[in-house]
Amino acid sequence: MTPEPSARRRGRKSAAAQAPKRQVNYRQLKNPFPLMEVFPAHQIADMHETALNILEELGMKVLLPQARRIYAKGGARVDDDAEMVYIGRDMVEAALATAPRSITCRAGARERDITLELGSLVFQAGAGAPNATDLERGRRPGSARDYLEYLQLTHHFDVFHMISPQVEPQDVPVHLRHYFTTEAQMTRTDKFPFIFSRGTPQVMDCFEMIRDLRGLTDAEFMAEPRCYTIINTNSPRTLDIPMAQGLIDFARHGQVSIVTPFTLMGAMAPITVAGAITLSHAEVLAAITLTQLAKPGAPVCYGTFTSNVDMKSGAPAFGTPAHFQASLAAGQLARFLGLPWRSAAGSASNCNDVQAANENQMGLWGCLMAGATVIIHAAGWLEGGLSVSYEKLITDAEVLNMIAELCAGAQAGTEEIGYASALTQVEPQGHFFAAPQTMDRYSTEFYEPVVHDYANFGTWTERGALDANSRATRVWKDILAHDNRPQTDETRAEALQAFIAKRTAEGGAPPES
Amino acid sequence: MTPEPSARRRGRKSAAAQAPKRQVNYRQLKNPFPLMEVFPAHQIADMHETALNILEELGMKVLLPQARRIYAKGGARVDDDAEMVYIGRDMVEAALATAPRSITCRAGARERDITLELGSLVFQAGAGAPNATDLERGRRPGSARDYLEYLQLTHHFDVFHMISPQVEPQDVPVHLRHYFTTEAQMTRTDKFPFIFSRGTPQVMDCFEMIRDLRGLTDAEFMAEPRCYTIINTNSPRTLDIPMAQGLIDFARHGQVSIVTPFTLMGAMAPITVAGAITLSHAEVLAAITLTQLAKPGAPVCYGTFTSNVDMKSGAPAFGTPAHFQASLAAGQLARFLGLPWRSAAGSASNCNDVQAANENQMGLWGCLMAGATVIIHAAGWLEGGLSVSYEKLITDAEVLNMIAELCAGAQAGTEEIGYASALTQVEPQGHFFAAPQTMDRYSTEFYEPVVHDYANFGTWTERGALDANSRATRVWKDILAHDNRPQTDETRAEALQAFIAKRTAEGGAPPES
């Protein structure tokens, strides 16, 4: 039953150079996986009703006076002393009626555009980490260099569709950091960029940079999404100042807010999946309502990131059954509303080991079967987000590539079944190496891995017995060794630098809190 | 947003000892995952038709004269010189009409019984490996000790429902090896046992051993399945002597054959998923037909194990997109027939690294979404089956436990949503550690991992920075340190040993080929 690779290889060596390569579009994906439900429809309706009760009866604490005024103008009962906002279900329903079902995101090149809607599938690399780690340099506080390298790595893989918040460049002063990260995203990738909501002054700087680098008028910028932010509520039931500002600013400028309460069951959320997701749902509804009050029709994406704590230690856990079920429940609620939505994979492991792989993939399948539109932390995320790993980015990208391959599907037509071109061509106990069907397809039929290695034990041992992690180091170093940035209009890039120099001289824009 | 574990931990330490433990039945599982289709129904029908054409027009090579006689008696056209059998579609249809849709397998204890039917979910550890490996002793040819240890480890985890062919005890002479493996399975576990089909004499020995140790009459033994075998056709289109004997012997004795062509796309099968699965399907139909001709109604399980070769090296690959799709296609064909069926996960990696984890889990999800009844190589399988790893058995068992947890589902009733017991109990920015709902559930709500570690980076580093692999070594050593064998009737165990001594003195039973 063992194939005879050496004979076959010799025969094809000369042809291999001219052989066509497999071409699969990883850039716009539709989720091919069937949707899974964890709760029956009537319980989902109960959760939604309970969330409406939470907003109406228990209320949200909203720290930004401007946001409270917007809610009040929209009909909410507001207690300014307590900073509490009580949102009626009629307000929520009105907001859900204007929130768009489909959001077309304009990247730096048309082939990088993505559409956020139920059914589409968008991956983001692990994000928001204060630290970076790799096998060569170890774990260190995130730096500008790490930010740029991680950007180059995520730009390399088509399967990362949006630039994530990545790793924090801690050596760049906080009042200038948004210039650095936005310039990098504008000049080193043409994928859809991310902007932190760290207060209106920073956000306005970033909008201006993107508008000008893309060569847009104000009206053109505001007409279509050119960037996005992530809004984390402070669970339970709190919307802080920069987050509320972000919701308002992004809505009014036609840019995308992805609303994601980050809730850990048993800590800042109820211990049950049902309770935690009900709370998360209420908080998202509050945020969506604010965006639609700020500007009806503003692009906003439902989201959740709910996992459990380990009740022995209180530490966050990821890729657990509860995490999986929370994704399923959130997916049901997002479909209940009809909105695109974001979920998350991720790992609690402290290094890129088997636990890290298993947790991330378990979380990923939860998101896929939940029908998530955007899956963040789909690669590279360790320590529950305290670090991003270069090697893990590579090994997880392998998994995402395989998911993208599954999105492409397969056929079982006459040619593929191959009765004439394969099945009748080979005698019992023979082999199909030389069948016409094989010869036609050998260079294009299968996905070729980035880091997975199929050498046998002997060959693998002779080559140094490198595990996937060590091989991943070679992969990322090779990617970083080659400049892969897209072309940028030189005049606009110079103008961008001039803008940054001017704003830096003016003192930049400190984050708000 | 960070929980306060130390405060909470102190408060609960004394209560923890009395706290109830989470109890989830992992022993009988129903697949909760939605089924995925890779091909439209009409293409599945085309594949089935093509398989019938293969059997009718191209034929199967059947090396056992007795089997050819049975086929001939059933109406097949037989060419004895060429050892070819041409099986009409009417014969296949008649066989499919008598093959059972549901097979209840009687283990050594009623709570270990399993039912093979569409919808049930049964896991087996990695199997059939010539080598064993672990981090303490390295990679070595499988031995009696390895066999017993691997048996003890798989017995330990409820989520392994059947004993797999495990690791080959190469230091036990081949004419006595079946006594060793059967005695071990009869006295060290009460799970459903496996018997190799290595010729009628060995199989009859094993049936006798199982019958007597279970305290059954011949009629009782033959009335219900007490063991199973795995039948690998020799693809393409060949049924060898021991496999044909196994199909006949197991059928006539009412024991289970799981028929699994092991086909690698591009090597012993067509390069396409559709072609490879069509070939596999034809071979399974031929084998099922033989069982039903031997004894109508005999328990037989459909099966497939199809992955692709790496076309660069000719080496087998596992956990690939093509492997995933092949599982989906096989699942559609099994449902087309209505039969329980077996699929397989597995890894091509040479050590228990991130590749091994990712491949195994990718293959596993393919099987789960394909609706496989039995998933073999679900844990521990490395090098495409050339070794089983003790550590990988542990780390994969963690994944399977989590799958079993997902089988148990979740609820979103009033208590779980917890409006009164949790959501109204916590102020904005507060925490749920002390909410009544949390206090009621903290010791039972979440799955507790076997080897995954949620310690933060500092604590983990202080404890030695052990990766999951190294921690898995501790886990299996701890399991092996405790005798976990179930009670066996002493008189019957002595009789078993006497039988083995007698048969050994008589020369045992060499395998047939």
Side-chain angles (χ1 to χ4, degrees):
Chain A
M1 303 221 298
T2 313
E4 299 154 83
S6 56
R8 200 178 45 75
R9 212 163 37 214
R10 272 195 302 278
R12 288 217 188 105
K13 209 158 228 174
S14 57
Q18 295 89 41
K21 284 273 182 190
R22 182 173 177 82
Q23 297 285 352
V24 175
N25 179 17
Y26 289 3
R27 295 183 181 185
Q28 285 84 25
L29 303 180
K30 290 284 173 190
N31 188 335
F33 304 105
L35 299 176
M36 181 169 175
E37 300 190 340
V38 62
F39 300 135
H42 70 91
Q43 291 187 338
I44 292 292
D46 290 346
M47 289 167 70
H48 179 68
E49 275 305 305
T50 306
L52 295 177
N53 287 344
I54 288 172
L55 295 178
E56 218 161 44
E57 295 169 15
L58 307 182
M60 284 286 289
K61 186 163 191 164
V62 177
L63 305 186
L64 181 72
Q66 180 196 9
R68 291 200 299 274
R69 284 195 298 275
I70 293 173
Y71 278 120
K73 208 177 147 200
R77 179 164 62 88
V78 170
D79 178 343
D80 270 317
D81 292 338
E83 302 177 304
M84 290 299 292
V85 174
Y86 302 87
I87 305 164
R89 61 191 64 214
D90 53 328
M91 290 175 63
V92 174
E93 277 155 25
L96 292 173
T98 57
R101 269 57 184 156
S102 179
I103 303 167
T104 299
C105 301
R106 297 295 184 195
R110 290 295 69 75
E111 66 268 23
R112 298 287 194 191
D113 287 352
I114 49 174
T115 300
L116 305 183
E117 62 189 6
L118 289 175
S120 64
L121 182 56
V122 170
F123 293 117
Q124 287 185 29
N131 302 294
T133 188
D134 65 65
L135 291 185
E136 296 244 319
R137 295 168 293 187
R139 183 178 186 267
R140 68 272 177 183
S143 67
R145 179 176 173 176
D146 294 323
Y147 184 92
L148 296 180
E149 288 178 349
Y150 198 77
L151 185 63
Q152 189 173 347
L153 294 175
T154 55
H155 177 69
H156 173 82
F157 293 100
D158 276 352
V159 83
F160 297 120
H161 304 102
M162 300 167 91
I163 301 302
S164 81
Q166 301 212 122
V167 56
E168 201 60 29
Q170 298 196 50
D171 52 352
V172 180
V174 291
H175 66 294
L176 305 176
R177 199 173 287 172
H178 62 294
Y179 304 123
F180 172 79
T181 56
T182 305
E183 184 192 10
Q185 291 182 87
M186 287 296 100
T187 59
R188 290 165 184 256
T189 181
D190 51 8
K191 296 185 181 180
F192 194 65
F194 168 82
I195 302 299
F196 266 116
S197 283
R198 286 175 174 161
T200 298
Q202 285 199 359
V203 166
M204 291 305 135
D205 275 345
C206 295
F207 285 172
E208 196 171 335
M209 291 168 76
I210 295 170
R211 180 199 66 195
D212 291 349
L213 196 282
R214 296 282 193 245
L216 305 169
T217 64
D218 262 336
E220 284 167 345
F221 177 79
M222 292 175 68
E224 290 183 302
R226 301 284 172 172
C227 62
Y228 77 105
T229 193
I230 294 175
I231 300 296
N232 295 129
T233 51
N234 281 11
S235 302
R237 293 192 282 123
T238 306
L239 192 56
D240 70 18
I241 289 173
M243 294 289 107
Q245 284 184 339
L247 286 167
I248 297 166
D249 293 335
F250 274 73
R252 290 190 171 159
H253 290 80
Q255 305 304 308
V256 182
S257 288
I258 299 183
V259 183
T260 312
F262 175 53
T263 50
L264 290 169
M265 294 174 240
M268 66 281 262
I271 194 169
T272 59
V273 171
I277 291 295
T278 298
L279 175 64
S280 171
H281 185 65
E283 295 176 359
V284 180
L285 292 177
I288 289 175
T289 301
L290 181 57
T291 63
Q292 301 306 302
L293 291 172
K295 184 178 170 188
V300 62
C301 188
Y302 186 93
T304 190
F305 189 7
T306 298
S307 191
N308 60 292
V309 294
D310 171 32
M311 294 311 288
K312 276 187 187 158
S313 64
F318 297 96
T320 61
H323 177 189
F324 193 107
Q325 291 169 331
S327 297
L328 297 183
Q332 290 184 261
L333 283 162
R335 289 194 294 282
F336 186 85
L337 305 182
L339 298 185
W341 71 289
R342 179 207 107 137
S343 192
S347 165
S349 185
N350 289 291
C351 62
N352 186 27
D353 63 352
V354 167
Q355 173 181 346
N358 277 333
E359 287 179 332
N360 203 72
Q361 201 176 146
M362 183 67 72
L364 180 66
W365 283 105
C367 296
L368 291 170
M369 297 176 79
T373 314
V374 178
I375 303 176
I376 194 172
H377 310 318
W381 210 65
L382 288 178
E383 300 177 50
L386 293 181
S387 69
V388 287
S389 153
Y390 286 32
E391 283 81 17
K392 187 161 175 56
L393 189 78
I394 303 299
T395 56
D396 289 339
E398 185 90 276
V399 173
L400 299 180
N401 281 351
M402 293 199 278
I403 298 296
E405 291 283 339
L406 291 172
C407 292
Q411 283 300 313
T414 306
E415 291 305 308
E416 288 82 13
I417 294 177
Y419 191 71
S421 60
L423 291 163
T424 58
Q425 301 283 325
V426 179
E427 292 300 303
Q429 290 173 294
H431 64 72
F432 288 79
F433 291 139
Q437 189 194 49
T438 308
M439 297 306 292
D440 281 350
R441 292 168 177 258
Y442 74 90
S443 70
T444 56
E445 192 67 14
F446 302 127
Y447 167 70
E448 283 188 24
V450 174
V451 70
H452 285 190
D453 179 3
Y454 304 132
N456 66 34
F457 190 82
T459 305
W460 175 78
T461 304
E462 279 164 28
R463 289 178 186 162
L466 296 179
D467 69 5
N469 228 358
S470 306
R471 297 195 307 271
T473 305
R474 292 185 183 176
V475 174
W476 65 254
K477 287 178 74 174
D478 187 53
I479 296 169
L480 292 185
H482 299 87
D483 190 346
N484 65 358
R485 71 186 89 182
Q487 244 182 336
T488 310
D489 182 300
E490 269 182 42
T491 313
R492 289 185 204 156
E494 281 166 21
L496 185 69
Q497 280 164 12
F499 173 86
I500 294 171
K502 174 174 140 295
R503 292 289 295 124
T504 301
E506 291 166 0
E512 307 223 345
S513 60
Chain B
M1 303 221 299
T2 312
E4 300 155 84
S6 57
R8 198 178 46 74
R9 213 164 34 215
R10 273 195 302 277
R12 286 217 190 104
K13 208 157 227 176
S14 58
Q18 295 90 42
K21 284 274 183 191
R22 181 173 178 81
Q23 297 284 351
V24 176
N25 178 17
Y26 290 1
R27 294 183 182 187
Q28 284 84 23
L29 303 179
K30 291 283 173 190
N31 188 334
F33 303 105
L35 299 176
M36 181 169 175
E37 301 190 339
V38 62
F39 301 133
H42 70 91
Q43 291 187 338
I44 291 294
D46 289 345
M47 290 168 68
H48 180 66
E49 275 305 305
T50 305
L52 295 177
N53 286 345
I54 289 172
L55 295 178
E56 218 162 42
E57 296 168 16
L58 307 182
M60 284 286 289
K61 187 163 190 163
V62 177
L63 304 186
L64 181 73
Q66 180 196 9
R68 291 201 299 273
R69 284 194 298 275
I70 293 173
Y71 277 120
K73 208 176 149 202
R77 177 163 64 87
V78 170
D79 177 343
D80 270 318
D81 292 338
E83 301 178 306
M84 290 299 294
V85 174
Y86 302 86
I87 305 164
R89 59 191 64 214
D90 53 328
M91 291 174 64
V92 174
E93 276 155 25
L96 292 173
T98 57
R101 268 59 183 154
S102 178
I103 303 167
T104 299
C105 300
R106 296 296 184 196
R110 288 297 67 76
E111 67 268 23
R112 298 286 194 192
D113 288 351
I114 49 174
T115 299
L116 305 183
E117 62 189 7
L118 289 175
S120 65
L121 182 55
V122 170
F123 293 116
Q124 287 185 28
N131 303 293
T133 187
D134 65 64
L135 289 185
E136 296 243 320
R137 295 168 294 186
R139 184 177 185 268
R140 68 272 179 185
S143 67
R145 178 175 173 177
D146 294 323
Y147 184 92
L148 296 179
E149 288 178 349
Y150 199 78
L151 185 63
Q152 190 172 347
L153 294 176
T154 55
H155 177 69
H156 173 82
F157 292 100
D158 277 352
V159 82
F160 298 119
H161 304 102
M162 301 167 91
I163 301 301
S164 81
Q166 299 213 124
V167 57
E168 202 60 30
Q170 296 196 50
D171 53 351
V172 180
V174 290
H175 66 293
L176 303 176
R177 199 172 288 171
H178 62 295
Y179 303 124
F180 172 78
T181 56
T182 305
E183 185 193 9
Q185 292 181 87
M186 288 297 100
T187 58
R188 291 165 184 256
T189 181
D190 51 8
K191 295 185 182 180
F192 194 65
F194 169 82
I195 302 298
F196 266 115
S197 283
R198 289 174 173 161
T200 298
Q202 284 199 1
V203 166
M204 292 304 136
D205 275 346
C206 294
F207 284 173
E208 197 170 336
M209 291 168 75
I210 295 169
R211 180 199 65 195
D212 290 351
L213 196 282
R214 297 281 193 244
L216 305 170
T217 65
D218 263 336
E220 285 168 343
F221 177 79
M222 290 174 68
E224 290 182 301
R226 301 286 173 173
C227 62
Y228 77 104
T229 194
I230 293 176
I231 300 296
N232 294 129
T233 51
N234 280 12
S235 302
R237 291 191 286 124
T238 306
L239 193 56
D240 71 18
I241 288 173
M243 294 290 106
Q245 283 184 340
L247 285 167
I248 297 166
D249 293 336
F250 274 73
R252 289 189 171 159
H253 291 80
Q255 305 304 308
V256 182
S257 288
I258 299 183
V259 183
T260 311
F262 175 52
T263 51
L264 290 170
M265 294 174 241
M268 66 282 260
I271 194 169
T272 59
V273 171
I277 291 295
T278 298
L279 175 65
S280 171
H281 186 64
E283 295 175 1
V284 180
L285 292 177
I288 289 175
T289 301
L290 181 58
T291 65
Q292 301 305 303
L293 291 172
K295 185 177 171 189
V300 62
C301 188
Y302 186 94
T304 189
F305 189 7
T306 298
S307 191
N308 60 290
V309 294
D310 170 31
M311 293 311 289
K312 275 188 187 158
S313 64
F318 297 96
T320 61
H323 177 190
F324 193 107
Q325 291 170 331
S327 297
L328 298 183
Q332 288 185 261
L333 283 162
R335 289 195 294 284
F336 186 85
L337 306 181
L339 297 184
W341 72 289
R342 178 207 108 136
S343 193
S347 165
S349 186
N350 289 293
C351 63
N352 187 27
D353 63 352
V354 167
Q355 173 181 344
N358 277 333
E359 287 179 332
N360 204 72
Q361 201 177 144
M362 183 67 72
L364 180 67
W365 282 106
C367 296
L368 291 169
M369 297 175 80
T373 313
V374 178
I375 303 176
I376 194 172
H377 310 317
W381 211 64
L382 287 179
E383 300 176 48
L386 293 181
S387 69
V388 287
S389 153
Y390 286 32
E391 283 83 15
K392 186 161 175 57
L393 190 79
I394 303 300
T395 55
D396 289 339
E398 184 90 278
V399 172
L400 298 179
N401 280 352
M402 293 200 276
I403 298 296
E405 292 283 339
L406 291 173
C407 292
Q411 284 299 313
T414 305
E415 289 306 308
E416 288 81 14
I417 294 176
Y419 191 71
S421 60
L423 291 164
T424 59
Q425 301 282 324
V426 179
E427 292 300 303
Q429 291 172 292
H431 64 73
F432 289 80
F433 292 138
Q437 187 194 50
T438 307
M439 297 307 289
D440 281 350
R441 293 169 177 256
Y442 74 91
S443 69
T444 56
E445 191 67 13
F446 302 127
Y447 168 70
E448 283 189 23
V450 174
V451 69
H452 285 191
D453 179 2
Y454 304 132
N456 66 34
F457 190 83
T459 306
W460 175 77
T461 303
E462 279 165 28
R463 289 178 186 162
L466 296 178
D467 69 5
N469 227 359
S470 306
R471 297 196 306 271
T473 304
R474 292 186 183 175
V475 174
W476 67 252
K477 288 178 75 173
D478 187 53
I479 296 169
L480 292 185
H482 298 88
D483 190 346
N484 65 358
R485 71 187 90 183
Q487 245 182 338
T488 310
D489 182 300
E490 270 183 41
T491 314
R492 289 186 204 155
E494 281 165 20
L496 185 69
Q497 279 163 13
F499 172 85
I500 293 171
K502 174 175 140 291
R503 291 290 294 124
T504 301
E506 290 166 359
E512 307 222 345
S513 60

